[in-house]
Amino acid sequence: MSRAAVLAGVGGYVPPRVVTNDELAQRLDTSDNWIRTRTGIARRHVVDAGTTTGDLAVEAGLRALKNADADGADLVIVATTTPDRPCPATAPAVAARMGLTDVPAYDVAAVCSGFVYGLQAGSAAVTAGFAERVLVIGAESFSTILDPADRTTSVIFGDGAGAVLLRAGERGEPGAVLDVHLGSDGSMADLITVRGGGSEERSRGGQPRPEDRYFRMDGKSVFFAAVRRMAESSRTVLARTGWELADVDRLVGHQANTRILHAVADQLGLPPERAVLNIERVGNTSAASIPLALADAMTDGTLTAGDRVLLTAFGGGATWGSATLTWPDLPVG
């Protein structure tokens, strides 16, 4: 058998503070029914003052290590759009706080596709023999970059982190990452963006525009692009894996919104009940959403050993990606 990265542990974490739709309706022109109908979201978790993306990442990473009964990793990858600082990367500090002070660690910035990008990098590191165990974490404190007056984004996003530990193994093992497909199109950069804070803004000189501090999204355009690219990427990775669409037991898509996930399933000809959903409880957690969904689905029994799983995501950049694996037998609780 050929060497492969094998999923050995999963962990998820959301901050304790819950914000319901009714709470948002007290300050925004919206309602619980409006939000549920358009997004499928009932509540989301948000960080308290002083809690950072790194804090969330550490907790999820430790839970993944515990689930795998492992004491460490040779490489740490953190996928995030909301790093603790513009410089340095968040991953080295996360690794150090977990006691991993002598291992390489770096961030991946692919917004909602970040976890799939990180999974590809981690899998490649294992396959190439660079590492024996890789911790891939998706973590976001998206509430820190949202315009509190913007109804279109404030109701969608939540904070949280999810992580997986990959270990060296063989392609025929349950849990092996079988294939990953990635893509991007930089001409769509303005569909999902935070304009301020980078060299583009600073090189212009003058006073920064306050509105450029916040996350902006062209929701309608993102909807159509996400459905198209996630479906195309899914078909590509399935063909490379040698699976038919009918072989897929579970579709774990980026939890962008219920309508997008159902539309992707429909495009692929998959029954909607095969789509794993936790967006109602946690909202869109960007790079954290797929590993969080995996952790929840493992805990509640939606994912069982032997399930053939398709992961897919679309994010800012624009970026997208998909991956295939067979679910391993992991401990629950």
Side-chain angles (χ1 to χ4, degrees), residues 145-210:
I145 61 172
L146 297 178
D147 181 347
D150 182 4
R151 179 179 69 166
T152 61
T153 57
S154 289
V155 304
I156 296 174
F157 291 91
D159 302 336
V164 301
L165 182 71
L166 303 175
R167 64 164 176 82
E170 297 183 343
R171 185 174 174 83
E173 288 186 67
V177 178
L178 300 175
D179 211 328
V180 183
H181 171 262
L182 302 176
S184 74
D185 182 355
S187 70
M188 294 193 287
D190 287 340
L191 293 187
I192 301 170
T193 189
V194 178
R195 294 299 298 263
S199 63
E200 179 184 286
E201 175 189 72
R202 295 176 182 183
S203 66
R204 288 198 307 259
Q207 288 297 111
R209 298 184 302 178

Side-chain angles (χ1 to χ4, degrees), residues 83-166:
D84 289 358
R85 304 178 186 179
C87 174
T90 301
V94 168
R97 290 173 60 186
M98 297 177 66
L100 308 173
T101 54
D102 295 320
V103 306
Y106 60 86
D107 289 0
V108 170
V111 198
C112 300
S113 304
F115 176 76
V116 181
Y117 268 64
L119 186 70
Q120 190 280 332
S123 177
V126 171
T127 303
F130 179 77
E132 294 298 308
R133 294 183 297 185
V134 178
L135 189 61
V136 182
I137 306 172
E140 302 284 14
S141 50
F142 232 77
S143 62
T144 62
I145 61 172
L146 297 178
D147 181 347
D150 182 4
R151 179 179 69 166
T152 61
T153 57
S154 289
V155 304
I156 296 174
F157 291 91
D159 302 336
V164 301
L165 182 71
L166 303 175

Side-chain angles (χ1 to χ4, degrees), residues 204-256:
R204 288 198 307 259
Q207 288 297 111
R209 298 184 302 178
E211 62 268 26
D212 286 348
R213 297 174 48 214
Y214 296 119
F215 175 87
R216 303 295 180 193
M217 179 173 68
D218 181 347
K220 185 175 182 180
S221 297
V222 167
F223 182 97
F224 291 110
V227 172
R228 174 192 167 201
R229 294 299 190 176
M230 290 165 76
E232 289 177 348
S233 179
S234 293
R235 291 191 187 96
T236 298
V237 81
L238 288 173
R240 295 193 333 200
T241 304
W243 288 358
E244 301 292 336
L245 284 165
D247 294 329
V248 176
D249 296 305
R250 294 295 176 191
L251 169 66
V252 186
H254 159 56
Q255 306 289 299

Side-chain angles (χ1 to χ4, degrees), residues 17-36 41-44 148-151 154-156:
R17 184 184 168 202
V18 174
V19 176
T20 65
N21 292 345
D22 287 333
E23 182 176 338
L24 290 176
Q26 293 176 15
R27 62 178 177 83
L28 296 170
D29 180 20
T30 190
S31 67
D32 175 67
N33 182 66
W34 189 93
I35 299 169
R36 285 178 186 262
I41 299 168
R43 64 180 191 177
R44 71 287 297 147
D150 182 4
R151 179 179 69 166
S154 289
V155 304
I156 296 174

